[in-house]
Each structure stands twice: as C-alpha cells, then as structure tokens.
Amino acid sequence: MSTLIMKFGGTSVGSAGAIAQVCGIVKSYNQDWEQLVVVVSAMRGVTDTLIRCAELAVQGDEAEYNSLIEQLNSIHYEAMNELVSDDIELKRLSVQFDQYISELSAYCRSIHVLGEVTARGMDTITSLGERMNAPLVAAALREQGLAAQAIDAARLIVTDDSFQNANPLQGATRDKVNEILLPLLNEGEIPVVTGFVAATQDGILTTLGRGGSDYTAAILGDSLDASEVWTWTDVDGVMTADPRIVANARVIPELSFNEVSELAYFGAKVLHPKTLRPIIERDIPLWVKNTFNPESTGTKVIRSSPSVEGKVTAISTIRDLSLVTVEGRGMLGIPGIAARTFAAVARQGASVLMISQASSEQSICFVIPTRTVAGVIKSIESEMELELSRRNIDRIWAQPEIVIVTAVGAGMRTTPGIAGRIFSALGETRINVIAIAQGSSEYSISIVVAEGDADDAMRQIHQEVILNG
Ligand code: ADP
Ligand code: ASP
Ligand code: MG
C-alpha cells in the first residue's frame, strides 16, 4: 500500500491564493498514491496572533484583544468566501468559525478576569488556528472535486500533559490513527488533519510546540507506516543556511537523517526538531518541497546521504540565548559542583543547549534560553548558598544576547582543520568567538558569538567553508 503524508506550513496556507495552490498540488498527486493524508498548519501569523490575544487578555487590554479576535475572524471569512461557493459548505464552515471565535472570546474574557493564563490554557487557545484552518482547506479541496474531510488531531494524537511541548504516546496514538483514519483512507477519502494539535488521554488539548505541524506529519507517518512524508513550505528545500540571512544560500538536494536532525536541533526553522524521531525509527524518506515552486525537486532526507565526510553541509543559528558562568577560585577542590549546578538548572525546567569550553578550570559555562536566566541564576544561588558565603564561588552571572552558530556536516569532529577554518573565517572579519562547544557531536561544531555579530558570522562561515569549501 502506498501512503503519502503531505504537510503544508503556515505560508503555504496563508491566503486564499496559497490554499488554491495547495489544492492544485494535492490534486496532482492524488492519483499517484493509494492513500493520501494532508496535514495543515494555521494560516500564516494566526498562531502568533492567538498568543498575542492571550497576552493582551492577561494585561487586561480588552479593546486590543477584541480587535485581534475580529481580525482573525475576518481573515478566515475572507479566505472562505474566495475559496468556497457551495451554500451548504459555506453555512457549515461559518457555523464552525463562529463557534471557534466565540470560544476564543470566552477564553480571553476569563484570562482577563483571572489575570493569568496557564500553559494548558495557552494550548487550548493556540490550537484554534489549526482547528479553524483544517475545515477551510478540506472544503476548498471538496470544491475542487476531491473527497476530503477535516480531522481534528486531538482525536488522533495522544500525548502526555507537558503542555506547549507535549510528547506523543506512540501506542495509544497508533491505535487512534488506525481506528479513525484507516476507514477514511480505505474509502479513498483524503483526511485533512490539524497540525500542531493533540490531546492527553483524558482529552485535554495539548500542542507539540511551535512549528509542531512537521512533527504531526511524522507521527502520522509512523502510525500509518507511510511510504513517504513530504513537508511543503515557502523555500525550495533545506538550504545551506537560512536564505533570509544568507542571500546566496543553496538548496541541498540530499541530506542524511542525522544531518537534518542536527540542523533542526540547532535552530534551522525549516523542520521542527522532533520531526526526525519517528522518521528515523521507521526509515521513512522525508522530502522538503516548495508550495510556490512545486516543480523544483526539493530536498530528500534519507538514512545516508552523499555528503562528503568532513565537509560542512549547512549552517544554522539559535538566538535569544544567554551564557551563564559560575565562577570562583575555590571551586576546584569541591566535588560535585558541576552536577549540582546542572541539577539546579534542571529544577527550573531550562534546557542547556551547550556546555562551553571554560576559559579556565575555575568556571563552568553553559548556554540557556534568555527567558529562563533569572530563574536559573536564583536556583543556582540557592543551591550554592554555602559556597557563595565561603567565597569558594565568587559569582554567578549571565551574558545576554548571544547566539549559537552551528556548522553541520558528516564526520565533522574527526576531520582535522574544520574548526580552524571556521575560526580563521571569523578572524578575518574580526568577529569575536565567545565560546566553543565542548564534546560536540559527530555532526556539528558550535560556536557562540554576540547577537550583533551573528548574521555576519553566518555569511562569513558560509562563504568560506561551504561556497569556497
Ligand atoms: P512552515 O510554515 O512552512 O513550516 P517555517 O517558517 O516554519 O515554514 O520554515 C521555513 C523557513 O525556515 C524558511 O522560510 C526559512 O527562512 C527558514 N530557514 C531557516 N533555516 C533554513 C534552512 N537551512 N533551509 C531552509 N529554510 C530555512
Ligand atoms: N501553527 C503552529 C506555529 O505557528 C505550528 C506550525 O506552524 O507548525 O507554531
Ligand atoms: Mg514550520
């Protein structure tokens, strides 16, 4: 049985014109595959606007959040009116839109009254973007004569209750997907599934984290034993760098699972970092393609790529980070300082992106998201109260506005000279390297630079080790 999962991102469904383009793509591949599943994101910008609504509600800015709700309403109505002409379809869609919009108003009102929003509440609110869009895309596909049906992934994907970054439970998800999607697929229907959205075993809405629709496609690919997963986006494939920053970035025709995992983990937004987990487990070929240039081949991601060992294939960045340093001359003699430091970090739920090479043995440095810094420093200070009072630790401080730049490629660590070339590329433009990664993986080398230097560092490394490389 040939089964294809196609996921369309926010820009790909960002307007009536874009959705019409999506319909054309689905129609053109429908004949080639026995089973076709479509996964859709919210329309471009909608998730951001929903988050903004909740934030404004916390601040009590009723006029502003109501105006955003009105905007969301009209974006969807406008697209509907352009794409759908059948009266019954129009009626059915507007009933759904009205219901979701009034739910959103009610949530915002209660957040306003309470003055706070929980992670669970945030998931309920942000899920609305995909839950409004899937019925719209399904109706647009039916208008084109395709048998499509919107499916809320809250019915399919079962997760734990880590709200805003939930983890799927594989067995339970597989059971639901087979129970709900298989009968549809066997009848030749095209399910149009909401990306990003899931639910706990008790049916409480969760989400898979920002950009999570890619992950939805991979989870469905796993549960359905899909032949291939294709993610359709707004660039020609996975590129040697983010084309928004590096204008002469090139499309990479073939990449390995490991290289793409590393790129996604180190910030390349083109795929959600967890997407590769189910894909690797089942060895499912993954393609990244451009909705607005469907003739271009795109990028094929497979188990092993033709990448040359020791050659950099792509560069990515993670932003909004801080470098935290725990330092003190008395630290050396005290056992377990590092373990206690990282335990204190973990208690804050902060993820350590990189442990950097210390400038001396009298300090521990690591990189965490800036939004977690205040809590982390407090937590370490309370853990090290005694050491601080005895002056074994002098201070715990953070350098904000730093960026991790990562060069990804097969056999990076074991190839001599790569790091040297990166540093000399940066040296030529006098970019200061704040830190380098210790024990980086086989597939990457990471360095830390100041926010203001990040774009130049990207362009410089790209030129020297990819284009000239
Ligand atoms: P979608 O909404 O389709 O999921 P995203 O905005 O999440 O799209 O991801 C696509 C964007 O990722 C591109 O527009 C591009 O700016 C950015 N990007 C960052 N790094 C890369 C890369 N290495 N290759 C391609 N795109 C990248
Ligand atoms: N709509 C969600 C987001 O903007 C998920 C996605 O687009 O993949 O994060
Ligand atoms: Mg995305």
Side-chain angles (χ1 to χ4, degrees):
M1 181 66 71
S2 67
T3 306
L4 174 65
I5 318 283
M6 293 213 272
K7 171 258 171 179
F8 294 91
T11 314
S12 303
V13 289
S15 63
I19 294 175
Q21 176 81 5
V22 166
C23 292
I25 290 171
V26 173
K27 207 169 181 175
S28 70
Y29 288 104
N30 188 34
Q31 300 300 323
D32 302 347
W33 298 82
E34 287 163 273
Q35 300 187 332
L36 195 58
V37 178
V38 171
V39 175
V40 290
S41 292
M43 292 178 78
R44 182 188 44 205
V46 164
T47 311
D48 289 334
T49 306
L50 288 165
I51 293 170
R52 190 77 198 117
C53 284
E55 288 170 352
L56 288 163
V58 171
Q59 293 158 18
D61 196 341
E62 190 176 0
E64 200 52 38
Y65 73 69
N66 278 332
S67 125
L68 289 186
I69 293 174
E70 187 41 47
Q71 259 181 41
L72 288 173
N73 190 46
S74 50
I75 290 170
H76 289 90
Y77 265 92
E78 259 171 46
M80 174 186 86
N81 288 326
E82 259 191 66
L83 289 162
V84 183
S85 57
D86 182 83
D87 281 343
I88 298 169
E89 289 276 12
L90 284 169
K91 182 84 200 121
R92 197 163 31 180
L93 260 183
S94 47
V95 167
Q96 262 174 314
F97 285 174
D98 293 350
Q99 189 203 319
Y100 287 136
I101 290 291
S102 71
E103 272 179 34
L104 176 59
S105 300
Y107 297 141
C108 288
R109 250 196 322 276
S110 48
I111 291 170
H112 182 174
V113 173
L114 292 169
E116 65 163 0
V117 57
T118 59
R120 172 175 164 175
M122 214 56 172
D123 275 353
T124 303
I125 289 178
T126 51
S127 73
L128 289 169
E130 272 74 6
R131 290 164 74 218
M132 285 178 86
N133 196 34
L136 173 61
V137 173
L141 286 168
R142 285 194 294 271
E143 190 90 9
Q144 297 297 313
L146 294 164
Q149 194 176 321
I151 302 285
D152 190 336
R155 296 172 58 203
L156 302 177
I157 299 180
V158 186
T159 65
D160 62 11
D161 62 358
S162 308
F163 296 105
Q164 299 192 287
N165 193 20
N167 304 295
L169 310 177
Q170 202 177 16
T173 300
R174 200 180 171 84
D175 290 347
K176 294 229 173 189
V177 167
N178 282 292
E179 179 196 326
I180 294 168
L181 289 192
L182 269 189
L184 290 178
L185 291 168
N186 289 336
E187 280 172 26
E189 295 237 6
I190 303 172
V192 180
V193 180
T194 55
F196 182 55
V197 179
T200 64
Q201 231 136 9
D202 302 328
I204 298 160
L205 280 162
T206 57
T207 66
L208 304 174
R210 292 306 307 270
S213 299
D214 301 321
Y215 194 23
T216 304
I219 294 165
L220 295 181
D222 170 22
S223 299
L224 289 167
D225 296 321
S227 321
E228 293 187 11
V229 172
W230 296 5
T231 64
W232 291 87
T233 183
D234 56 2
V235 285
D236 277 346
V238 179
M239 306 183 72
T240 49
D242 186 342
R244 282 184 232 184
I245 298 161
V246 181
N248 55 359
R250 297 186 302 213
V251 179
I252 307 166
E254 243 176 52
L255 269 170
S256 69
F257 290 146
N258 287 329
E259 286 166 293
V260 171
S261 299
E262 204 78 356
L263 260 185
Y265 177 79
F266 284 107
K269 198 187 162 202
V270 67
L271 283 171
H272 184 277
K274 289 185 192 163
T275 311
L276 270 295
R277 290 186 192 173
I279 295 280
I280 292 174
E281 249 171 56
R282 291 205 173 261
D283 207 358
I284 306 172
L286 168 75
W287 285 83
V288 179
K289 286 171 173 279
N290 189 347
T291 302
F292 306 98
N293 186 15
E295 285 78 35
S296 77
T297 328
T299 297
K300 186 180 191 185
V301 187
I302 44 174
R303 182 162 295 280
S304 63
S305 77
S307 304
V308 180
E309 286 272 308
K311 210 170 165 314
V312 177
T313 32
I315 301 166
S316 60
T317 53
I318 313 183
R319 287 164 198 267
D320 301 320
L321 303 175
S322 294
L323 180 73
V324 177
T325 304
V326 179
E327 66 182 20
R329 250 155 296 158
M331 272 169 61
L332 251 179
I334 307 168
I337 286 272
R340 282 169 55 206
T341 300
F342 291 114
V345 177
R347 279 198 291 278
Q348 291 297 305
S351 56
V352 176
L353 288 138
M354 192 175 121
I355 299 171
S356 82
Q357 196 166 48
S359 55
S360 75
E361 283 174 31
Q362 289 156 3
S363 65
I364 298 169
C365 307
F366 53 92
V367 176
I368 54 173
T370 297
R371 65 185 150 73
T372 61
V373 163
V376 161
I377 289 189
K378 245 193 226 137
S379 174
I380 303 174
E381 277 172 351
S382 90
E383 173 66 39
M384 302 295 176
E385 212 177 334
L386 190 63
E387 286 77 8
L388 282 162
S389 73
R390 289 182 178 161
R391 310 275 310 156
N392 287 327
I393 291 176
D394 294 323
R395 61 178 188 143
I396 301 156
W397 60 287
Q399 175 172 357
E401 294 178 6
I402 60 145
V403 172
I404 296 181
V405 179
T406 303
V408 172
M412 295 284 288
R413 201 182 44 172
T414 46
T415 307
I418 293 257
R421 285 181 63 206
I422 292 174
F423 289 125
S424 55
L426 295 177
E428 275 163 32
T429 34
R430 314 191 72 76
I431 291 171
N432 180 38
V433 176
I434 298 169
I436 61 169
Q438 210 167 37
S440 60
S441 91
E442 188 57 38
Y443 290 89
S444 63
I445 292 177
S446 293
I447 55 165
V448 173
V449 297
E451 172 77 51
D453 287 336
D455 290 358
D456 282 340
M458 284 277 273
R459 292 185 199 112
Q460 194 65 21
I461 299 172
H462 187 261
Q463 186 62 42
E464 291 298 325
V465 299
I466 296 186
L467 296 185
N468 299 348

